[in-house]
Amino acid sequence: MEIKLTLLPGDGIGPEIVTEARKVLDVVANRFGHTLYYNTQLIGGIAIDETGDPLPEETLGACLQSDAVLLGAVGGPKWDDPKAAVRPEQGLLRIRKELGVFANLRPVKVFEALAEASPLKTERVRGVDIMFVRELTGDLYFGTPRGREIVNGKRVGFNTMRYDEDEIARVMRIGFELARQRRGKLASVDKANVLETMRVWREVAHEVAQEYPDVQYEDLLVDAMAMYLINRPSDFDVVVTGNMFGDILSDEASMITGSLGMLPSASIGADGSIGLYEPIHGSAPDIAGKGIANPLATILSGAMLLRWSLGLHAEAEAVETAVAQVLAAGHRTGDIAAGGKALGTAEMGDKVCEALG
Ligand code: NAD
């Protein structure tokens, strides 16, 4: 297979971790007989510095011409002024919009070798394997009216929680399809006891559930879910939520594994659209340039890319197995070493390549 990928290293540790993911993709492509063509482009703070635009036209053009996009991270203190007219995150929001991706998939899987790194009790996290599906294009983040005004001499801010039935149905279907390929369970998280938007969410979720009688479905309120994730995380398979609740719950869930540096994500849209793959962590400016960042989340994002955008399941599994083997052999970067011996970013990438080779 001939594969065209756009790489967007971005800011902070982004270039370091994307380099390692590329190394691993090269090894897997070589092993399975594929040819990879890379186009590396600017996004985020570095794009603002060089072009004044967090998502330059050339970057967008390259992404739209490719089979999939792998991103490092954007942002950092240099571009943090909240009053600045252009900000790195705008590049991220725009690329998601332009690619038409509406579902963010975040697997939260506890590697056996790292179960003890979790802040939760080991017996509680062992075997946790949740797929979070967060809606990306609606909700409080995009609903209108939104804004701020002065009412009776007081500052007032307001946003609108809004979903239409099509937006809900398409993300629910992604969740149900995933559940079918996994353990056949889906939890839809809402706040239907209080919010009208979430009553529509639940109604539509139930309608879509009728199409999937083989999937065991449950409704959960977001406040209850926040508790269940801590006291019984291994009960969940696929969890589908709106944009706002998903933002918060998926970060909470990520802590179950004990390291941000381990968690990949995929943002996908309708069939045939171009997927965007990135680690869930940020640009980690505190460790940028030191060669100590954990590249595994980005490497695992590369595995998701192989599976979701290219349908290369055996290749994706080979990468995931290599990562599990490297961890089982005791190799760690600083963030997961618990004070023990730590490898650098490139050394960790090399270990994964060796395990693959
Ligand atoms: P962060 O995820 O960058 O870092 C949080 C902590 O985790 C830091 O101590 C960091 O060193 C550590 N960490 C993160 N990734 C790591 C890795 N791969 N290996 C080892 N340690 C790692 O979050 P933050 O500090 O809140 O944000 C820093 C910048 O990143 C901000 O400008 C923020 O806006 C941006 N950000 C970008 C994204 C994105 O690009 N998708 C996401 C979140 C934050």
Side-chain angles (χ1 to χ4, degrees):
M1 196 168 168
E2 306 230 318
I3 302 158
K4 282 193 285 183
L5 296 185
T6 300
L7 301 180
L8 305 177
D11 306 315
I13 59 170
E16 301 164 53
I17 54 182
V18 168
T19 300
E20 298 315 305
R22 178 178 174 159
K23 249 162 54 178
V24 170
L25 286 170
D26 281 337
V27 173
V28 81
N30 190 30
R31 178 170 143 194
F32 286 85
H34 305 297
T35 309
L36 288 172
Y37 300 98
Y38 299 102
N39 188 343
T40 302
Q41 295 286 341
L42 300 171
I43 192 169
I46 186 168
I48 296 175
D49 286 354
E50 294 197 12
T51 71
D53 183 347
L55 184 71
E57 284 309 312
E58 199 182 329
T59 300
L60 179 58
C63 293
L64 292 172
Q65 296 288 314
S66 56
D67 295 311
V69 180
L70 182 67
L71 179 117
V74 299
K78 184 176 176 193
W79 307 279
D80 257 358
D81 178 2
K83 296 205 181 91
V86 280
R87 292 173 51 88
E89 297 76 19
Q90 291 167 343
L92 205 51
L93 291 179
R94 180 144 177 252
I95 187 73
R96 286 179 184 152
K97 185 160 181 271
E98 297 284 349
L99 296 178
V101 292
F102 58 78
N104 183 237
L105 274 44
R106 283 192 183 191
V108 175
K109 188 172 169 160
V110 174
F111 285 90
E112 183 57 31
L114 288 182
E116 283 174 16
S118 171
L120 301 186
K121 290 195 180 106
T122 311
E123 67 270 19
R124 204 161 274 181
V125 300
R126 194 154 265 146
V128 166
D129 182 1
I130 309 173
M131 177 66 86
F132 261 88
V133 181
R134 168 190 169 194
E135 202 287 329
L136 268 189
T137 60
D139 210 340
L140 282 164
Y141 296 29
F142 296 96
T144 52
R146 61 186 295 162
R148 53 186 294 159
E149 59 192 24
I150 304 288
V151 179
N152 297 333
K154 293 189 190 1
R155 283 169 294 171
V156 176
F158 53 96
N159 294 85
T160 303
M161 182 179 255
R162 187 181 190 286
Y163 269 118
D164 74 35
E165 57 185 71
D166 294 344
E167 289 169 325
I168 302 165
R170 66 184 185 179
V171 75
M172 290 304 310
R173 286 201 180 92
I174 288 201
F176 278 106
E177 292 293 335
L178 275 163
R180 271 192 173 157
Q181 293 161 32
R182 292 168 49 95
R183 302 193 302 282
K185 280 170 46 172
L186 184 145
S188 166
V189 178
D190 63 36
K191 187 72 183 168
N193 54 340
V194 179
L195 302 169
E196 279 74 11
T197 321
M198 289 289 121
R199 283 191 201 128
V200 175
W201 176 281
R202 190 175 284 201
E203 240 170 71
V204 176
H206 285 199
E207 287 160 17
V208 176
Q210 307 276 315
E211 299 166 23
Y212 298 87
D214 49 319
V215 174
Q216 191 188 326
Y217 173 89
E218 67 176 327
D219 298 303
L220 289 171
L221 292 172
V222 62
D223 38 346
M225 185 62 182
M227 294 191 291
Y228 298 152
L229 274 177
I230 303 298
N231 69 10
R232 53 180 184 93
S234 52
D235 284 357
F236 298 101
D237 180 11
V238 175
V239 176
V240 185
T241 73
N243 205 346
M244 165 86 165
F245 299 155
D247 192 357
I248 300 165
L249 289 177
S250 58
D251 266 21
E252 181 191 356
S254 72
M255 279 294 101
I256 296 171
T257 69
S259 173
L260 267 179
M262 293 299 305
L263 297 173
S265 81
S267 298
I268 60 173
D271 278 353
S273 63
I274 299 160
L276 175 69
Y277 300 83
E278 55 184 312
I280 73 157
H281 59 73
S283 60
D286 51 335
I287 57 167
K290 295 186 179 163
I292 57 171
N294 184 347
L296 294 179
T298 318
I299 290 170
L300 291 168
S301 301
M304 291 189 88
L305 181 157
L306 294 168
R307 177 176 291 118
W308 288 98
S309 279
L310 307 171
L312 300 175
H313 296 269
E315 289 81 342
E317 247 175 74
V319 174
E320 288 159 356
T321 304
V323 168
Q325 280 171 355
V326 166
L327 292 171
H331 303 299
R332 304 280 187 271
T333 42
D335 56 320
I336 49 175
K341 182 176 180 295
L343 299 181
T345 310
E347 287 170 306
M348 185 53 116
D350 290 342
K351 289 286 176 206
V352 178
C353 290
E354 277 165 33
L356 261 173

